[in-house]
Amino acid sequence: VRRQLLGGLNIGVRIAKGLQFKTSFNTNLGFSNSSYYIPTYKIGWAQNVTASYTNGSGVNTYWNWNQLLEYNRQFGRHNVNVMLSHEAQESTWKNLGGGRTGFLTNDILDLAAGDALTASNSGGSGEWAMESYLGRLNYNFADRYIMMGTIRRDGSANFGADNKWGFFPSVSAAWRVSQEPFFHVPAISELK
């Protein structure tokens, strides 16, 4: 049996002309239970003389919170887009299981009714978390000269103990030659 709850909330606000703020919170909660019983039986030549029963349960949680501030404007032939974002997320899980064999009857489905000398158990748990900050600047002039710069900083439980934060910058530029007045090549519709 698995039960799951999914939910989210999204809000967007226009602060000023070209300036928007958005935030979202999402979660996923899961609960599971499992039972697996193999009874003793004899059907013709096929038989099972030792009954076995395993039982398990688990729980997992995940949440994500994101905030985004974005500015989009056009000034004559200049187009500017600036975006700032923050995101935090976390996940945890935990499982527990047990099993036994040697049941005297097929009528009682309870681990305690099995042979204690055959008892087994299993389980585990884990968690991870991540926090991110992102900044991006897009600029283009007349849809011909395009530049983009991005700065990202991530903190993660999966990074090494001595370096929990990583810094990831990037820069790109493009020239749309096909948008230039001197470009007259009918066979090429887009050249960047």
Side-chain angles (χ1 to χ4, degrees), residues 38-187:
I38 301 174
T40 57
Y41 59 85
K42 183 172 183 177
I43 304 171
W45 58 267
Q47 72 176 7
N48 182 35
V49 294
T50 306
S52 65
Y53 182 54
T54 58
N55 190 286
S57 65
V59 62
N60 64 285
T61 64
Y62 171 79
W63 62 266
N64 173 292
W65 183 35
N66 184 278
Q67 302 95 77
L68 177 80
L69 185 64
E70 187 170 28
Y71 180 70
N72 245 325
R73 285 299 300 266
Q74 182 172 352
F75 305 96
R77 298 173 74 183
H78 303 272
N79 293 294
V80 176
N81 172 270
V82 179
M83 187 267 294
L84 299 171
S85 177
H86 169 260
E87 181 177 46
Q89 53 188 325
E90 181 180 62
S91 177
T92 62
W93 62 271
K94 187 173 188 175
N95 296 324
L96 180 63
R100 285 191 181 184
T101 62
F103 292 82
L104 299 177
T105 176
N106 288 329
D107 296 328
I108 300 175
L109 296 180
D110 190 307
L111 282 177
D115 183 355
L117 296 176
T118 66
S120 65
N121 59 56
S122 63
S125 64
E127 61 183 25
W128 67 269
M130 185 168 175
E131 186 170 17
S132 303
Y133 297 90
L134 175 68
R136 184 182 68 210
L137 171 64
N138 282 332
Y139 169 79
N140 83 59
F141 177 76
D143 208 24
R144 281 186 280 185
Y145 311 108
I146 304 164
M147 293 186 336
M148 182 173 76
T150 302
I151 297 173
R152 182 177 185 112
R153 184 160 168 79
D154 291 322
S156 174
N158 295 328
F159 291 167
D162 296 332
N163 191 17
K164 290 290 185 190
W165 288 88
F167 180 68
F168 309 97
S170 70
V171 176
S172 64
W175 175 28
R176 292 183 70 197
V177 179
S178 54
Q179 295 295 313
E180 295 288 353
F182 63 79
F183 188 82
H184 300 289
V185 183

